[in-house]
């Protein structure tokens, strides 16, 4: 079984008014796909742009290998 894709899915939920927060829950889920049809998911306790920069950064900033390229 080989990993065929890794994707970052943004999550955002507005928090009801009157709560002492920045007015939103922001997080992300990482989904891993394999050639055997198995898919795994995990919630990541960080902001989506940070996770995306580690897993699948823009091609213009690849001074180090991305996590996605290492896994695939």
């Amino acid at each position: 079984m080989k990993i065929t894709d890794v994707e970052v899915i943004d999550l955002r939920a507005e928090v009801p008014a009157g709560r002492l927060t920045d007015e939103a829950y922001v997080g992300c889920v990482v989904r891993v796909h394999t050639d055997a049809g198995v898919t795994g998911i995990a919630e990541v306790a960080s902001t989506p742009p940070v996770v995306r920069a580690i897993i699948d950064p823009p091609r213009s900033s690849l001074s180090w290998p991305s996590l996605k390229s290492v896994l695939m």
Side-chain angles (χ1 to χ4, degrees):
M1 179 168 44
K2 292 184 179 183
I3 294 173
T4 57
D5 194 19
V6 181
E7 60 182 312
V8 178
I9 301 166
D10 294 13
L11 301 176
R12 182 175 178 83
E14 299 301 322
V15 175
R19 305 274 306 265
L20 298 175
T21 66
D22 66 352
E23 301 180 10
Y25 165 79
V26 178
C28 62
V29 170
V30 173
R31 186 165 34 192
V32 179
H33 301 273
T34 69
D35 61 353
V38 177
T39 301
I41 60 170
E43 181 182 12
V44 180
S46 186
T47 60
V50 171
V51 176
R52 186 169 284 108
I54 294 166
I55 292 177
D56 195 14
R59 292 195 185 276
S60 63
S61 66
L62 289 180
S63 58
W64 296 96
S66 66
L67 182 59
K68 185 175 182 176
S69 70
V70 171
L71 295 173
M72 297 174 60

